[in-house]
Amino acid sequence: MNLFYNKEKVGDVAFLQIEPHEGPFSYETKGNVVEITADNKVVGYNVFKIADKVTITDNGHVKLTESIIDALQNAIVEAGFTQQLNADLSPKFVVGYVESKDKHPDADKLSVLTVDVATEKLQIVCGAPNVEAGQKVVIAKVGAVMPSGMVIKDAELRGVASSGMVCSMKELDLPNAPAEKGIMVLDDSYTVGQAFFEE
């Protein structure tokens, strides 16, 4: 679930994406809320005059909090819709430990990794030339929004499922990112599962 808001450029409207979807959408408006559906399921909401219900200081991609979720939920219900919001407020950029690295069965330059992020083990397909088992790395979990605006989602790369992304300094928009390709390898001061960015 992702929320976008830019009062200065767009106006006082919150754009809530429940799940990424491409293709035709249907819209239903009740009061200050537009419900967006696709394939007979709700994929998002546009909530107008959100500043009447909660203060949002972020500009662009908004970090979800319980108070923001509660305000959105109240606006949706007050408008007459029934959708219940189930937001995962856990950090989306975390430290992971690469437990294993196997060659992709159908792509020479891709590897299939098993990555421990403390709460679960993820299978991630990675094309970085410097990734190895035994490394601590930065993982963008499903639902993470990259600095570029790209949303990380479950995917299949050449027929192999991948849940998340191993990040480079450049992809994380960190200063002094090296020009050469490769993921960011962390030292032992980092703990598996910890949030990479301060919340």
Side-chain angles (χ1 to χ4, degrees):
M1 187 179 297
N2 292 290
L3 183 67
F4 302 90
Y5 184 74
N6 188 331
K7 189 172 185 179
E8 217 172 90
K9 300 273 178 72
V10 183
D12 185 20
V13 54
F15 300 94
L16 179 65
Q17 180 190 60
I18 293 174
E19 61 179 75
H21 184 84
E22 295 175 7
F25 297 97
S26 298
Y27 304 90
E28 183 179 1
T29 303
K30 294 182 181 180
N32 289 325
V33 179
V34 179
E35 185 176 74
I36 305 162
T37 56
D39 300 330
N40 295 316
K41 63 181 176 183
V42 177
V43 295
Y45 286 94
N46 296 342
V47 181
F48 293 83
K49 296 187 178 178
I50 191 64
D52 292 347
K53 298 192 173 293
V54 68
T55 300
I56 299 176
T57 55
D58 292 345
N59 194 29
H61 181 249
V62 176
K63 177 178 163 28
L64 289 172
T65 63
E66 284 189 23
S67 60
I68 291 174
I69 291 295
D70 288 345
L72 291 167
Q73 183 68 76
N74 289 338
I76 289 166
V77 171
E78 285 172 12
F81 295 108
T82 59
Q83 180 77 14
Q84 294 297 306
L85 302 179
N86 297 306
D88 175 8
L89 300 180
S90 65
K92 293 296 178 285
F93 294 91
V94 299
V95 176
Y97 177 77
V98 182
E99 288 192 341
S100 66
K101 171 188 171 184
D102 296 301
K103 190 177 176 308
H104 190 291
D106 194 32
D108 289 341
K109 293 187 177 179
L110 296 178
S111 301
V112 182
L113 313 176
T114 300
V115 183
D116 182 4
V117 293
T119 54
E120 59 187 323
K121 293 189 181 182
L122 304 174
Q123 177 171 287
I124 298 176
V125 177
C126 179
N130 65 326
V131 68
E132 297 294 344
Q135 292 171 335
K136 286 183 180 177
V137 294
V138 182
I139 300 298
K141 295 169 66 177
V142 170
V145 178
M146 302 300 293
S148 66
M150 179 179 73
V151 179
I152 302 300
K153 43 189 176 180
D154 284 314
E156 267 197 20
L157 296 173
R158 300 290 291 269
V160 176
S162 183
S163 298
M165 185 171 92
V166 187
C167 301
S168 69
M169 289 181 69
K170 186 176 181 183
E171 288 163 336
L172 295 170
D173 200 23
L174 297 177
N176 305 315
E180 64 269 14
K181 288 187 175 180
I183 50 100
M184 181 181 183
V185 180
L186 304 174
D187 61 36
D188 282 338
S189 66
Y190 289 88
T191 303
V192 172
Q194 80 175 75
F196 180 68
F197 295 111
E198 287 188 15
E199 297 295 310

